[in-house]
Amino acid sequence: QVQLAESGGGSVQAGGSLRLSCAASGRTISNYNMGWFRQVLGKEREFVAIITWSGGSTYYTDSVKGRFTISRDNAKNTMYLHMNSLKPEDTAVYYCAADRSSITLDTQAREYDYWGQGTQVTVSS
């Protein structure tokens, strides 16, 4: 069992920055691929970014490329999402997730095994 807890959300003006953190407990996440997803009420949970277990590879959805950076510190059992140049359309609840499989970089939420409770990010214009 792995417990994930997001933090770092809040309200920010367009063009601002936030850093989200995802702290894992219970077990190490060093062997898991990790992802960030976001969700707006009434919409499907959307893929944002993925990082492999080693941190050697990353992948982003097109809308955040060049603005968001996913990273991890396995020694701290923590994953991060640095968000720059935030836009109102980035407003959502952001979730971190862990994938027990390290074979593929999954962009579908259903492929992930563990989820945090989410943290709200609100970007105003």
Side-chain angles (χ1 to χ4, degrees):
Q1 182 70 269
V2 175
Q3 293 81 45
L4 304 176
E6 304 93 338
S7 62
S11 182
V12 65
Q13 291 284 331
S17 299
L18 287 171
R19 187 187 76 166
L20 305 184
S21 298
C22 174
S25 60
R27 294 180 180 177
T28 179
I29 59 170
S30 61
N31 293 325
Y32 298 162
N33 291 343
M34 301 289 294
W36 285 98
F37 293 77
R38 62 189 182 187
Q39 188 169 24
V40 177
L41 281 175
K43 295 186 177 181
E44 294 285 325
R45 191 163 295 187
E46 177 191 24
F47 162 75
V48 177
I50 309 171
I51 187 166
T52 57
W53 66 270
S54 66
S57 296
T58 59
Y59 182 72
Y60 301 88
T61 192
D62 287 343
S63 63
V64 308
K65 287 180 180 177
R67 300 189 298 118
F68 291 10
T69 302
I70 188 171
S71 62
R72 66 192 299 165
D73 187 340
N74 285 340
K76 296 181 178 179
N77 221 26
T78 303
M79 178 181 63
Y80 305 95
L81 185 68
H82 294 259
M83 305 185 295
N84 298 317
S85 301
L86 284 162
K87 303 175 180 180
E89 50 263 46
D90 295 318
T91 295
V93 176
Y94 283 71
Y95 298 88
C96 67
D99 182 2
R100 290 179 295 179
S101 173
S102 61
I103 299 173
T104 60
L105 289 174
D106 293 313
T107 61
Q108 299 296 313
R110 64 176 178 269
E111 300 297 329
Y112 287 76
D113 303 290
Y114 305 102
W115 293 87
Q117 81 288 344
T119 186
Q120 176 70 48
V121 171
T122 302
V123 184
S124 59
S125 59

